């Protein structure tokens, strides 16, 4: 494994990007630039935090009980779900939301954008274990650009000679004042699979507000979503391309307690997931020799 010191030599950027080894042995990239701070765990290419300088509180939520551990997903941040979303279609023993979020990735590039934002690109490391679950010739890269805006680009390349199908998500947890005080707009009129109490197809009317567990897969939508937070007096805009599904999820108290890592004293109330996804009827066929990218941009504005 490449050490933090080697990564600092090869990819570190003075006063912007550095790497360190966490107590778990996992390597974390820390970004501090004139526009924002962020951190990303190389395992899973998992962005853990992002806070633009204009914001008094983080925009990306990380559970207070989040633990870094080899082979385990981190609660919060922006998990990369790939090459399937949710449960595997046929193999119950394969991990939910795919394996990308729990395997090592390696850094392949870093740089500074003309506007001063910091860019970091990682590539998933294949192994016998990943090939046993996904026997397709492919390359998966994630480029994260940290500035006043957060941009994430997940690119799947089919390097083989036969087409394959993927499900995927940037499963981002966003920091809010309180789940009872926010609305998500942008999905009015959209159809969604309501995963609470069986999968039923419904149609969204108006903005989404929350009073109980919510787990919905909106389909056939390219819409920008906005989280309107009256208490924090801010809006978080989520703009995407290469994604036709949007998942809106809050576990509510019972599920959150069962999960055990959502943060003491109602930590779950301070997050909502608005995920940019390709799932169910929106899974993507990547033809042999082609590539597909899912791109999401986040920015926060004060009202
Ligand atoms: C959401 C799913 O995307 O992720 C939910 O729609 C799921 O059903 C949630 O509970 C969290 O998943 P996990 O595997 O990170 O606990």
């Amino acid at each position: 494994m490449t050490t933090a010191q080697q990564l600092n030599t090869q990819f570190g950027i003075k006063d912007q990007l550095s790497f360190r080894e966490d107590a778990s042995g996992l390597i974390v990239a820390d970004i501090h630039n004139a526009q924002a701070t962020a951190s990303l765990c190389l395992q899973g290419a998992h962005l853990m935090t992002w806070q633009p300088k204009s914001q008094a509180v983080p925009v990306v939520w990380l559970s207070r009980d989040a633990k870094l551990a080899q082979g385990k997903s981190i609660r919060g941040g922006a998990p990369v779900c790939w090459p399937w979303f949710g449960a595997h279609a046929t193999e119950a023993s394969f991990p939910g939301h795919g394996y990308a979020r729990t395997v090592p990735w390696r850094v392949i590039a870093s740089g500074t954008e003309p506007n001063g934002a910091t860019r970091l690109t990682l590539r998933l490391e294949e192994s016998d274990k990943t090939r046993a679950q996904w026997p397709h010739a492919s390359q998966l890269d994630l480029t994260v650009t940290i500035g006043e805006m957060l941009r994430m680009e997940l690119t799947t390349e089919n390097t083989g000679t036969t087409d394959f199908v993927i499900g995927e998500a940037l499963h981002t947890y966003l920091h809010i004042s309180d789940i009872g005080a926010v609305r998500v707009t942008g999905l009015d009129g959209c159809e969604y699979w309501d995963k609470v109490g069986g999968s039923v197809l419904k149609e969204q009317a108006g903005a989404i507000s929350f009073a109980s567990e919510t787990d919905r897969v909106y389909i056939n939508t390219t819409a920008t979503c906005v989280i309107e937070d009256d208490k924090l007096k801010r809006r978080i805009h989520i703009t995407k391309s290469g994604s036709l599904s949007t998942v809106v999820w809050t576990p509510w108290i019972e599920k959150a307690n069962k999960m055990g890592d959502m943060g003491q004293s109602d930590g779950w109330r301070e997050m909502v997931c608005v995920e940019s996804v390709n799932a169910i009827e929106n899974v993507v066929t990547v033809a042999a020799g082609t590539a597909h990218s899912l791109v999401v941009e986040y920015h926060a504005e004060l009202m």
Side-chain angles (χ1 to χ4, degrees):
M1 192 184 87
T2 315
T3 64
Q5 199 180 346
Q6 287 164 330
L7 288 166
N8 279 320
T9 307
Q10 207 181 346
F11 298 106
I13 305 175
K14 192 173 178 304
D15 298 329
Q16 268 189 59
L17 169 65
S18 60
F19 298 87
R20 63 181 157 89
E21 193 177 318
D22 175 78
S24 60
L26 298 176
I27 293 181
V28 173
D30 290 314
I31 296 118
H32 296 272
N33 60 32
Q35 299 174 32
T37 59
S39 59
L40 179 145
C41 182
L42 267 48
Q43 175 177 279
H46 196 134
L47 180 88
M48 298 190 292
T49 58
W50 170 59
Q51 182 167 359
K53 291 272 164 79
S54 63
Q55 301 301 310
V57 285
V59 179
V60 166
W61 180 87
L62 180 68
S63 170
R64 283 188 285 271
D65 289 346
K67 280 184 205 67
L68 272 62
Q70 310 267 353
K72 295 259 158 59
S73 183
I74 301 162
R75 182 61 64 193
V80 176
C81 305
W82 188 94
W84 57 87
F85 181 82
H88 187 274
T90 53
E91 290 293 335
S93 63
F94 288 0
H97 288 336
Y99 55 75
R101 60 180 178 166
T102 55
V103 301
W105 293 53
R106 70 191 154 89
V107 180
I108 57 167
S110 66
T112 308
E113 296 292 291
N115 69 2
T118 307
R119 180 175 31 78
L120 184 62
T121 303
L122 295 99
R123 179 165 294 165
L124 185 139
E125 301 247 42
E126 287 188 357
S127 65
D128 289 345
K129 204 173 160 194
T130 64
R131 279 185 285 267
Q133 297 182 17
W134 177 250
H136 303 285
S138 63
Q139 185 169 280
L140 183 67
D141 287 354
L142 179 74
T143 296
V144 178
T145 309
I146 304 291
E148 187 57 42
M149 182 181 271
L150 165 67
R151 182 176 193 275
M152 302 183 76
E153 177 166 356
L154 184 68
T155 300
T156 304
E157 198 180 328
N158 183 337
T159 54
T161 52
T162 49
D163 301 355
F164 59 64
V165 176
I166 55 162
E168 59 183 342
L170 290 171
H171 185 313
T172 311
Y173 291 70
L174 285 317
H175 189 110
I176 54 173
S177 58
D178 182 81
I179 191 71
V182 299
R183 296 175 300 285
V184 175
T185 60
L187 294 165
D188 185 22
C190 259
E191 282 191 316
Y192 64 93
W193 290 103
D194 191 348
K195 287 168 70 181
V196 176
S199 248
V200 178
L201 193 63
K202 298 183 178 168
E203 189 178 312
Q204 181 64 37
I208 306 163
S209 50
F210 303 92
S212 59
E213 182 191 357
T214 304
D215 191 357
R216 301 176 178 178
V217 184
Y218 290 85
I219 51 169
N220 304 323
T221 174
T222 56
T224 290
C225 287
V226 181
I227 302 171
E228 309 211 4
D229 190 332
D230 291 340
K231 271 199 194 160
L232 281 181
K233 295 197 180 0
R234 82 172 172 191
R235 294 191 189 97
I236 301 174
H237 297 254
I238 302 153
T239 306
K240 62 177 191 167
S241 65
S243 155
L244 282 178
S245 323
T246 296
V247 170
V248 177
W249 176 63
T250 173
W252 221 257
I253 189 158
E254 212 171 293
K255 276 239 166 104
N257 285 346
K258 274 193 201 140
M259 289 161 80
D261 59 358
M262 291 297 288
Q264 292 301 308
S265 23
D266 288 352
W268 63 272
R269 295 198 70 99
E270 294 176 352
M271 53 85 25
V272 64
C273 282
V274 177
E275 310 167 33
S276 302
V277 183
N278 286 305
I280 313 181
E281 46 263 77
N282 297 138
V283 290
V284 176
T285 300
V286 186
T290 70
H292 153 81
S293 291
L294 189 171
V295 182
V296 192
E297 288 179 347
Y298 305 84
H299 82 269
E301 68 168 327
L302 297 174
M303 301 195 235

